[in-house]
């Protein structure tokens, strides 16, 4: 399986093609909806694989605090998943790029990384947030995501052992690899 590895201030950055529900890391990130319901896409897959514990924990958070705003992140158990935690976040819907989408997407990645660090979580795996139903063009999202991750790791040296981007399709993997080559080259 295709894979890219780099090192940023003591943290391993990995790009890999695969399924986020199979990742054995401290936390996987869910591209959730504001209601924190299972829905489709990666969220449906995470709730299915994690089982009712995940869905119930997410529902309890929604009951307590209401809808999650774009760029916010919360954490639940991972149920039956191999990861220990699920960080649920809401990325921006793509409206053409002139409505602050890049800054909102960067904020979404930062919120997840901050939450992981604040909980002492050492490894985190992300899906390609916003590039499914939310319509964010994947090549542009890849640039924003990798820049946000790189900048966070530079500001928090050594706090995380690994940040992994798990790209579901070969085309998404290729887009992230290209974005990383541009950013690091
Ligand atoms: P959003 O609403 O944020 O766009 P989606 O779930 O529609 O979220 O899609 C986000 C990305 O997750 C898409 O690139 C989709 O192909 C990918 N995806 C779907 N299932 C999985 C999975 N099991 N593991 C990793 N990525 C997945």
């Amino acid at each position: 399986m295709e894979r890219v590895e780099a090192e940023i201030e003591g943290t391993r950055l990995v790009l890999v093609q695969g399924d986020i529900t199979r990742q054995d890391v401290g936390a996987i990130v869910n591209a959730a909806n504001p209601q924190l319901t299972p829905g489709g896409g990666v969220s449906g897959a995470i709730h299915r694989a994690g089982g009712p514990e995940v869905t119930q924990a997410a529902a309890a958070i929604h009951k307590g605090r209401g809808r999650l705003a774009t760029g916010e992140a919360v954490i639940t158990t991972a149920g039956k998943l191999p990861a220990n935690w699920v960080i649920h976040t809401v990325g921006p819907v793509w409206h053409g790029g002139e409505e602050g989408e890049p800054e909102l997407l960067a904020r979404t990645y930062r919120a997840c990384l901050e939450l992981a660090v604040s909980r002492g979580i050492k490894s985190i795996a992300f899906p390609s947030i916003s590039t499914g139903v939310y319509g964010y063009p994947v090549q542009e999202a890849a640039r924003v995501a990798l820049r946000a991750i790189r900048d966070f790791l530079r500001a928090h040296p050594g706090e995380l052992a690994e940040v992994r981007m798990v790209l579901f399709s070969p085309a998404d993997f290729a887009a992230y690899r290209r974005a990383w080559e541009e950013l690091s080259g």
Side-chain angles (χ1 to χ4, degrees):
M1 189 138 286
E2 292 220 80
R3 190 180 167 92
V4 171
E5 269 196 44
E7 198 262 2
I8 303 169
E9 301 288 342
T11 300
R12 189 164 57 246
L13 174 67
V14 178
L15 313 181
V16 66
Q17 194 204 324
D19 181 340
I20 196 134
T21 66
R22 311 283 288 269
Q23 308 300 313
D24 185 5
V25 287
I28 61 167
V29 173
N30 179 20
N33 57 53
Q35 296 80 19
L36 297 171
T37 54
V42 73
S43 178
I46 288 171
H47 280 261
R48 247 189 330 275
E53 253 192 285
V54 173
T55 304
Q56 281 159 17
I61 289 175
H62 179 248
K63 192 162 182 231
R65 58 174 282 169
R67 292 161 60 94
L68 212 58
T70 304
E72 287 185 330
V74 296
I75 188 165
T76 68
T77 172
K80 293 183 290 194
L81 288 157
N84 297 321
W85 301 98
V86 177
I87 292 175
H88 306 260
T89 193
V90 180
V93 176
W94 179 257
H95 292 294
E98 303 295 321
E99 295 189 21
E101 293 94 332
E103 176 46 32
L104 287 168
L105 187 60
R107 188 186 302 170
T108 302
Y109 279 90
R110 279 198 301 272
C112 296
L113 292 162
E114 273 159 16
L115 184 50
V117 166
S118 78
R119 296 300 185 99
I121 291 165
K122 294 296 178 194
S123 56
I124 181 168
F126 286 95
S128 179
I129 297 170
S130 286
T131 64
V133 169
Y134 281 7
Y136 209 120
V138 65
Q139 193 62 67
E140 294 175 41
R143 281 192 207 105
V144 172
L146 294 175
R147 184 182 294 275
I149 291 168
R150 183 200 61 185
D151 290 352
F152 181 90
L153 295 178
R154 285 180 175 170
H156 299 82
E159 298 224 45
L160 290 160
E162 181 174 323
V163 176
R164 196 180 297 174
M165 283 295 321
V166 181
L167 294 323
F168 205 43
S169 70
D172 287 352
F173 176 82
Y176 277 75
R177 181 174 52 197
R178 195 173 317 128
W180 179 248
E181 285 165 0
E182 284 168 17
L183 198 61
S184 61

